[in-house]
Amino acid sequence: MVETAAQARSIVSASRFPPQGTRGFGSPFTQASWGLSATDYLEQANDSVVVLGQIETREGVQNLQEILKVQGLDGVFIGPYDLSLSLGHPPPSPDPVPAIEETIQDILKSSHAAGKKCAIYCTSGEQAAKRAQEGFDMINVTSDSGAMAESIAKNLAVAAGQSIAGREFGY
């Protein structure tokens, strides 16, 4: 969650190794998992990081233009549930209310106008397809718990001899 340009600068700094940032080297687990030496990893890590600030509060929306000016911030990620709540609206069910949808579209347009990526959280493939058509650059297609619950429900229905054709599980 990012609400100010200062927070965005701090996130960018914490995401990159010196001299571009303040990220600590820590364990060699990451590079070892990819078969890289520590030197090779450090030579390319800063160029391989994508830094997104999550916009999900009134303050984040109000400060969006300044946040988007932060050097090294690659884009923003919209959390529609917390954004809805923080702006005094109910959470999406499954889609946000019109006022929140307008805010989401404003964030998308502002991000692209600033040359930044814009990502969004979705709860279904249908919702993700709609967001892709709207021009979002990165899309969370569903939640892990939602995907697991849907799969378990479908498999239990099949095991119980129930037809699942055309049945929506809505998780």
Side-chain angles (χ1 to χ4, degrees), residues 56-58 80-91 97 99-100:
E56 57 185 354
T57 65
R58 181 178 309 277
Y81 283 80
D82 286 328
L83 181 63
S84 296
L85 293 173
S86 77
L87 295 176
H89 294 281
V97 298
I100 297 301

Side-chain angles (χ1 to χ4, degrees), residues 87-109:
L87 295 176
H89 294 281
S93 180
D95 294 315
V97 298
I100 297 301
E101 184 60 38
E102 184 177 326
T103 301
I104 288 170
Q105 294 303 318
D106 289 345
I107 295 169
L108 173 64
K109 288 176 190 152

